[in-house]
Amino acid sequence: MDEIRNTGRINRRSSYHTHTRSFSRDHTHGSTLPTRSKSLNRPERRRPRQSMIKKALPIRSNVEANNRQTQAMPRHLQEQITNYGYHLDKVESDDNTTVVEPSELSSWWAWTAYLLTCCFPSCFIRICFHKTNKNMQQAWREKMALFILILGFCGILTYIVYGLGATLCPGNEETYPYSIMNNGVREIVKRDDVSVFGELYSLDTMQKFLKTQQIDLTSDFRGEDLSTLFDGDTSHACDSYKLDRFDPTLPSCSASGANGKGALLVLPEGKCIPLETLHSYERSHKIMTYEWEDINVNGTKLALLGNTVADFSKYLDQPQMNTVYGTEVGKAIRNNLGNEMTYSLYYSEEGKKAYQCLKARYGVGIGSSATAGCISVELILGTMFGVVLCIIGIRYSMACLFHWFIKNRLVKPGGRSNWLAWRSIRGGNDDPANHQPGPYNNYKLTPPSPSSDRPANMSYNSSIVNTELYTVMLVTCYSENEDSLRVTMDSLSDTTYSDKHKILFVIADGLITGEGETRSTPDILIDMMDLTPAMDDPKSCSYVAVADGEKQLNMAKVYAGHYKNTPCIAVVKCGTDEEQNGPKPGNRGKRDSQVILMTFFQRVLFNDRFSELDYDIFWKMTWLMNGVTPDKFEVVLMVDADTKVLPDSLTYMVAAMANDITIMGLCGETRIANKRASWVTAIQVFEYYISHHYAKAFESLFGIVTCLPGCFSMYRIKSPKHGLWIPILANPDVIMEYNQNVVTTLHEKNLLLLGEDRFLSTLMLRTFPKRQMMFVPQARCRTIVPDEFKVLLSQRRRWINSTVHNLMELVMVSDLCGIGCFSMQFSVFIDLLGTLVLPVAVPMTIFLIVQSATSSSPQWDSVGLLIAVLTLPALLIGITSFNLVYILWMFIYIIALPIWNTILPLYSYWHFDDFSWGATRVVAGEKKGDSHGDSSGTFDYSRLIMKHWKDWERERLRVY
């Protein structure tokens, strides 16, 4: 019932136009432009939505209207603007109009971007990077800030994997044991190297060094400890014990060979050699290590000082040392031989003072046990790799569960039940009340006059079946040729779904002629249709487009007819008279095409006021459907004009919708039609496969597919619930956020201009987090993918950048299912983090392979993770789809990983501020940088007509 309270009951006859876009001739005497509210709901009852989009809409007022009676801004709108803390700057335009625009630095992120790029003054950005206005400069700063943060994340990941161990557990030292076990007996290792404070040097190296000190080292000293020849106090810890120039802590500065029975080695002048001198000549990385069994034995004179093993034989042989270091130190040494004595020394002030000096004078090696730093590194890396491996394993397991247990039940009568329907609302599919159709709006279509060309034998009675839902098949086209359009429309018309329950709805985005074409796309479309004679020359109808300035007003023509016996509506956006000589008249973008249909159904369901275009669509659509009014339609299939839908796909998708009323959106599997056209298409085959059968299958187990592809997806227009209709795609909250016409920040532009299809999925999940978005593998389509690398680069730039920004939005939705690390919110966060650090994946993999091949101790956890990542997709193919040919495509994909994980992400991130569609859709005569959303002029709202359906119908009857 929360959904009913939040969205309003559609069967109410009251008008909601005070909260929707209110444009009519009655407003021509007002002083302010109508603004777009975010919701039909009362603001005080709405739950605050976590989003990164928080901005005030530009408020424009005509200075000449000061003498007119103006309407005050609603109090709740004033409170919203005040609470959000918007900063508005006034800009005077040339047409005597005051334009109040948002300041560029109106959020914490804008300030962060400015501070990170403050070393680049605006004049430098304008001259060197050709960013001429403030918005472009701010977008460049935000791009650079994001790029810096991404490089920072990549650097942190690289450091954790490969640098943390070198910092906390230096691995540049080779350890050699003092003793080994031989037949159950511990024996001291005999070696030829000599040792100096635990560092091992070859005899030859030490002989050459001592010759530089005028000392001749003989072979009698093979395997001996020469520490007594050196002053090991490199940190000057013993300076406090010096008496004038005499240091009582120094050893004898002499050494004897053959365990004290050989030759005596005495240094000239009786001075010990500073250890730094030896290190400057050559520093050994061979370290003597001692086991606990070597230290903790009876009669030993060894002890542990931290991780340093000290031999106190010389100390105990010199009683005067008690007076040098103090009696407390001597007591601590004698009481803790064979043990760790750090705590005993630190118990007294004398011990604290002597601790470092004792290590410098008597150290002979290190303990063989791992240090705290090494243990920390192992724990951190082990935990990190374990978590990543668990996440990958769980995802693949859940994808398999979806394929084994759920996908077939989605389209069978009755759908899912028991634990398989755990995301359904209470009562779910088994509650008959949930399937009761709600009361429709009482549109009473007046039959046309007898003079109409419509055949008289057509019935006006509507019929609704229990399992077949009225479906709109939306096709958006731009610059496609006849072959592309015909492939798509043929496939939709030839689907096995009932013709009387489906209608083609094709929208041509402007009078566009594709490159190499002689006819425009709208002309090709109209020639393909069998037009109804009475509707072959429609008038231009006005509507409010998704644009700014004067382009907010657009005109469109509605053609009605049939395509291969399938009812077909064709909406051609032709533009106003002023733009007919422009480059792309009527073009407003794909999002505008989708909003035309979404807004139309919203106004139909809420009985709101229609624009000219809305009403023209309404009555022609009803005519074609033999009296079935648009409010009977429940689902809409969205496909692109280069997509071929398989015959039974629509039946599968509608069956899934009918079986589970909690599903608000779903998609099928998109396969590549031109997979062998070039190497560029070949590397995309497995990427398409794994994105559906792994990523979307895993997400479907939770009912949260984060991206329904725009080329082939279905949305629920409205949903029955307890005898009422709940608007879903036609929900005002969704439409108002999707219908933003003023987009200023980099984040918003990446959402709304580059990835509108993904943003629509994000909006649906954010608005209805308890409902489901699913993947139906049985529904398939084929599409044409880029066959040139430059086109692929342009396409993936848009997709990757929109993915990053949509995940930023979705990760803030706390209502997604699950808790903590076992939630979809955490999964989305992992996806976002993984996308950001993609550029370092390949370099780290190459380094790992080289290191594993050359090192004696490779990082087996990293190797295991790499093996899992590369082999689990093949396992998924083998145990789910059994289509083994995709394993061959997988090898091609792996070869191309440097392109997918390095080149494409880096190119995309560097072009965060590029909002063009690039080379994906080429138009004849189009110049680089042309955009359908450029703001120019002022919206003439007086040319827009808004009336209720009954008023439009009364006017049409007068014409007839």
Side-chain angles (χ1 to χ4, degrees):
M1 295 302 293
D2 292 338
E3 290 176 331
I4 300 175
R5 286 194 296 268
N6 289 340
T7 57
R9 301 185 179 184
I10 296 182
N11 60 313
R12 294 177 181 173
R13 298 287 297 169
S14 59
S15 173
Y16 291 82
H17 64 269
T18 56
H19 294 284
T20 56
R21 287 183 289 180
S22 304
F23 303 103
S24 70
R25 294 187 183 275
D26 298 336
H27 286 287
T28 56
H29 299 293
S31 60
T32 61
L33 280 177
T35 59
R36 302 181 180 186
S37 175
K38 291 290 184 184
S39 172
L40 296 183
N41 312 328
R42 293 177 60 181
E44 64 271 16
R45 292 185 179 179
R46 293 186 63 210
R47 177 180 179 179
R49 177 178 294 126
Q50 294 296 326
S51 172
M52 297 182 68
I53 301 181
K54 290 183 178 180
K55 70 185 186 67
L57 295 174
I59 303 170
R60 305 183 179 187
S61 60
N62 194 321
V63 297
E64 294 179 354
N66 290 334
N67 295 329
R68 303 176 185 175
Q69 184 178 0
T70 61
Q71 182 179 1
M73 181 183 295
R75 186 181 65 179
H76 73 267
L77 184 57
Q78 296 177 2
E79 293 175 353
Q80 290 177 6
I81 294 177
T82 303
N83 293 336
Y84 282 139
Y86 296 123
H87 305 280
L88 303 177
D89 298 333
K90 290 186 177 181
V91 180
E92 295 292 336
S93 62
D94 296 334
D95 59 353
N96 200 26
T97 300
T98 301
V99 180
V100 185
E101 298 181 348
S103 172
E104 293 82 9
L105 302 177
S106 58
S107 66
W108 66 269
W109 168 246
W111 276 105
T112 301
Y114 183 82
L115 293 176
L116 288 175
T117 59
C118 60
C119 56
F120 298 98
S122 298
C123 59
F124 177 82
I125 300 174
R126 183 178 64 254
I127 297 173
C128 297
F129 296 99
H130 309 291
K131 308 299 180 182
T132 55
N133 58 53
K134 290 183 178 180
N135 286 335
M136 294 173 66
Q137 293 170 11
Q138 181 61 24
W140 184 89
R141 292 184 185 277
E142 293 183 26
K143 175 195 77 171
M144 291 302 299
L146 284 172
F147 198 77
I148 291 171
L149 292 177
I150 290 172
L151 290 180
F153 285 130
C154 293
I156 291 173
L157 178 63
T158 305
Y159 173 75
I160 291 175
V161 176
Y162 296 113
L164 187 63
T167 302
L168 299 181
C169 183
N172 58 345
E173 297 174 343
E174 300 178 29
T175 59
Y176 292 82
Y178 173 74
S179 66
I180 59 173
M181 294 296 293
N182 186 13
N183 296 325
V185 179
R186 184 165 293 278
E187 297 179 352
I188 298 176
V189 177
K190 303 293 184 181
R191 52 175 53 92
D192 294 336
D193 297 336
V194 297
S195 64
V196 177
F197 297 110
E199 299 175 2
L200 298 178
Y201 294 87
S202 66
L203 182 64
D204 183 61
T205 299
M206 187 58 68
Q207 286 174 337
K208 292 178 181 179
F209 168 71
L210 290 180
K211 276 187 178 181
T212 64
Q213 305 295 320
Q214 291 79 44
I215 300 174
D216 186 18
L217 183 66
T218 65
S219 59
D220 292 338
F221 291 89
R222 189 184 306 274
E224 294 295 327
D225 184 6
L226 302 182
S227 301
T228 53
L229 295 176
F230 295 88
D231 180 2
D233 185 19
T234 58
S235 61
H236 304 284
C238 301
D239 287 353
S240 60
Y241 296 101
K242 288 184 178 180
L243 304 174
D244 294 332
R245 295 184 179 181
F246 174 68
D247 189 350
T249 64
L250 275 175
S252 60
C253 298
S254 63
S256 60
N259 295 321
K261 299 177 182 179
L264 181 65
L265 192 64
V266 181
L267 295 175
E269 301 179 0
K271 291 184 178 180
C272 293
I273 304 172
L275 188 59
E276 294 97 330
T277 306
L278 174 61
H279 288 169
S280 63
Y281 179 82
E282 181 175 331
R283 178 154 192 172
S284 175
H285 297 292
K286 301 177 180 179
I287 305 297
M288 183 82 74
T289 61
Y290 292 78
E291 298 290 340
W292 180 247
E293 290 79 2
D294 298 325
I295 301 170
N296 190 243
V297 294
N298 292 330
T300 182
K301 295 181 180 179
L302 300 177
L304 274 173
L305 297 174
N307 196 46
T308 300
V309 177
D311 185 354
F312 289 101
S313 300
K314 298 290 190 298
Y315 178 92
L316 298 174
D317 292 341
Q318 296 174 313
Q320 69 273 17
M321 287 300 175
N322 274 337
T323 60
V324 175
Y325 292 106
T327 57
E328 293 294 332
V329 174
K331 185 185 301 183
I333 292 175
R334 288 178 173 83
N335 292 338
N336 291 277
L337 291 175
N339 289 299
E340 222 288 340
M341 63 172 59
T342 301
Y343 179 77
S344 298
L345 288 173
Y346 269 78
Y347 189 75
S348 64
E349 292 298 326
E350 291 178 350
K352 292 179 183 178
K353 177 182 177 182
Y355 182 76
Q356 294 297 334
C357 184
L358 292 174
K359 291 174 66 174
R361 296 298 185 217
Y362 303 105
V364 291
I366 61 174
S368 62
S369 61
T371 62
C374 294
I375 295 174
S376 300
V377 171
E378 291 180 0
L379 287 175
I380 293 172
L381 293 182
T383 302
M384 186 179 71
F385 286 119
V387 169
V388 174
L389 193 60
C390 285
I391 290 174
I392 295 175
I394 290 172
R395 286 191 170 199
Y396 275 100
S397 300
M398 290 187 171
C400 292
L401 289 176
F402 171 80
H403 284 286
W404 290 338
F405 298 106
I406 294 181
K407 75 172 185 180
N408 292 327
R409 294 176 179 267
L410 286 175
V411 296
K412 289 183 178 179
R416 292 171 290 167
S417 60
N418 301 327
W419 66 273
L420 296 177
W422 65 282
R423 286 289 325 276
S424 296
I425 59 176
R426 191 175 72 174
N429 305 314
D430 298 328
D431 188 353
N434 288 331
H435 293 278
Q436 292 177 3
Y440 292 100
N441 288 322
N442 189 24
Y443 292 101
K444 296 179 180 179
L445 185 69
T446 305
S449 62
S451 62
S452 170
D453 293 332
R454 184 174 179 84
N457 59 351
M458 278 199 168
S459 173
Y460 299 104
N461 296 326
S462 62
S463 61
I464 300 177
V465 297
N466 293 328
T467 58
E468 291 182 316
L469 310 180
Y470 283 102
T471 304
V472 177
M473 300 180 294
L474 174 65
V475 181
T476 54
C477 57
Y478 174 56
S479 61
E480 286 76 11
N481 56 27
E482 182 175 354
D483 292 338
S484 297
L485 285 174
R486 195 171 292 280
V487 165
T488 301
M489 296 178 68
D490 281 350
S491 66
L492 291 173
S493 178
D494 294 340
T495 54
T496 58
Y497 196 64
S498 168
D499 278 338
K500 65 180 181 179
H501 291 91
K502 67 183 180 184
I503 183 172
L504 272 168
F505 199 101
V506 188
I507 301 180
D509 189 18
L511 305 180
I512 306 298
T513 302
E515 189 176 38
E517 297 294 323
T518 58
R519 293 184 300 164
S520 67
T521 299
D523 290 339
I524 295 173
L525 173 62
I526 301 307
D527 291 342
M528 290 169 55
M529 293 176 56
D530 297 326
L531 296 176
T532 301
M535 305 176 189
D536 59 356
D537 186 21
K539 67 174 182 177
S540 298
C541 301
S542 61
Y543 76 98
V544 180
V546 181
D548 195 15
E550 61 184 7
K551 286 190 176 182
Q552 197 170 354
L553 177 68
N554 200 8
M555 308 295 288
K557 295 182 179 181
V558 181
Y559 295 86
H562 290 76
Y563 182 82
K564 298 178 65 174
N565 297 324
T566 301
C568 181
I569 293 287
V571 178
V572 177
K573 294 187 279 187
C574 54
T576 59
D577 295 337
E578 292 80 7
E579 58 181 299
Q580 293 305 310
N581 296 325
K584 295 184 291 184
N587 176 240
R588 299 295 187 271
K590 180 180 178 180
R591 184 162 58 99
D592 177 68
S593 301
Q594 294 172 323
V595 168
I596 287 177
L597 188 68
M598 294 166 64
T599 306
F600 167 71
F601 279 111
Q602 176 199 325
R603 291 169 177 167
V604 168
L605 297 179
F606 283 93
N607 194 24
D608 203 353
R609 290 184 292 175
F610 288 180
S611 65
E612 284 184 287
L613 179 62
D614 294 329
Y615 179 72
D616 215 30
I617 294 173
F618 184 97
W619 78 269
K620 290 179 180 179
M621 191 172 175
T622 307
W623 189 308
L624 287 174
M625 295 301 294
N626 296 332
V628 178
T629 52
D631 59 316
K632 307 295 192 300
F633 285 83
E634 296 187 40
V635 294
V636 54
L637 174 68
M638 296 184 179
V639 298
D640 286 342
D642 54 1
T643 301
K644 180 180 180 180
V645 179
L646 270 62
D648 55 355
S649 296
L650 182 58
T651 302
Y652 280 124
M653 299 175 89
V654 175
M657 285 286 193
N659 285 340
D660 192 344
I661 61 171
T662 64
I663 295 178
M664 61 178 172
L666 52 82
C667 67
E669 180 186 358
T670 301
R671 294 185 176 180
I672 297 178
N674 57 335
K675 60 180 69 174
R676 294 180 177 87
S678 68
W679 68 270
V680 177
T681 60
I683 66 175
Q684 301 178 63
V685 176
F686 184 74
E687 192 266 343
Y688 268 75
Y689 175 87
I690 202 67
S691 67
H692 287 84
H693 290 273
Y694 163 57
K696 287 181 171 57
F698 158 72
E699 294 173 340
S700 293
L701 196 69
F702 295 93
I704 302 177
V705 176
T706 56
C707 177
L708 300 185
C711 66
F712 186 49
S713 59
M714 177 177 283
Y715 290 95
R716 192 184 294 274
I717 300 171
K718 59 182 181 179
S719 175
K721 186 174 181 180
H722 303 305
L724 300 173
W725 287 116
I726 304 299
I728 306 297
L729 185 67
N731 185 276
D733 285 341
V734 174
I735 294 175
M736 283 304 175
E737 291 226 30
Y738 197 57
N739 191 17
Q740 295 186 41
N741 62 328
V742 179
V743 184
T744 57
T745 67
L746 179 137
H747 177 65
E748 293 168 348
K749 289 183 178 180
N750 276 277
L751 290 175
L752 294 165
L753 302 185
L754 299 185
E756 64 280 334
D757 298 318
R758 188 173 189 115
F759 184 55
L760 180 58
S761 303
T762 301
L763 283 178
M764 298 288 282
L765 289 173
R766 203 171 67 187
T767 308
F768 300 101
K770 304 302 181 183
R771 290 185 175 267
Q772 299 184 76
M773 305 271 271
M774 299 296 293
F775 166 53
V776 181
Q778 297 90 334
R780 300 185 181 96
C781 76
R782 292 188 177 92
T783 188
I784 303 296
V785 300
D787 57 359
E788 296 180 7
F789 185 69
K790 66 176 183 179
V791 182
L792 177 67
L793 199 66
S794 176
Q795 181 196 67
R796 297 300 167 140
R797 168 186 59 81
R798 296 186 291 106
W799 288 9
I800 292 174
N801 289 349
S802 66
T803 297
V804 171
H805 288 270
N806 273 281
L807 290 178
M808 289 180 182
E809 283 286 315
L810 205 54
V811 79
M812 302 177 70
V813 180
S814 59
D815 293 333
L816 301 180
C817 67
I819 300 174
C821 295
F822 302 96
S823 66
M824 277 303 298
Q825 189 178 20
F826 178 75
S827 178
V828 170
F829 172 74
I830 294 297
D831 288 339
L832 175 60
L833 196 60
T835 305
L836 294 178
V837 299
L838 267 181
V840 297
V842 172
M844 290 175 63
T845 302
I846 295 174
F847 180 82
L848 175 63
I849 294 173
V850 173
Q851 184 194 49
S852 301
T854 57
S855 175
S856 59
S857 57
Q859 297 186 12
W860 292 113
D861 47 3
S862 301
V863 174
L865 181 61
L866 178 62
I867 293 174
V869 170
L870 296 180
T871 58
L872 281 177
L875 183 63
L876 178 68
I877 295 171
I879 64 179
T880 56
S881 65
F882 306 105
N883 199 349
L884 301 183
V885 69
Y886 277 100
I887 297 179
L888 300 178
W889 291 112
M890 183 186 73
F891 287 115
I892 299 176
Y893 173 79
I894 291 175
I895 295 172
L897 278 178
I899 295 176
W900 290 112
N901 291 352
T902 304
I903 297 176
L904 294 179
L906 283 177
Y907 177 83
S908 302
Y909 298 154
W910 184 250
H911 291 82
F912 262 133
D913 59 341
D914 183 0
F915 311 116
S916 67
W917 273 55
T920 308
R921 293 286 187 266
V922 181
V923 176
E926 182 180 16
K927 297 179 181 179
K928 183 177 181 180
D930 290 348
S931 174
H932 54 72
D934 293 339
S935 174
S936 61
T938 304
F939 174 39
D940 185 5
Y941 50 89
S942 64
R943 298 169 60 181
L944 184 70
I945 305 173
M946 301 287 291
K947 296 180 182 179
H948 284 285
W949 171 84
K950 60 182 180 180
D951 297 326
W952 283 114
E953 184 71 6
R954 189 181 300 113
E955 183 177 320
R956 186 176 71 88
L957 290 177
R958 285 200 299 266
V959 173
Y960 281 104

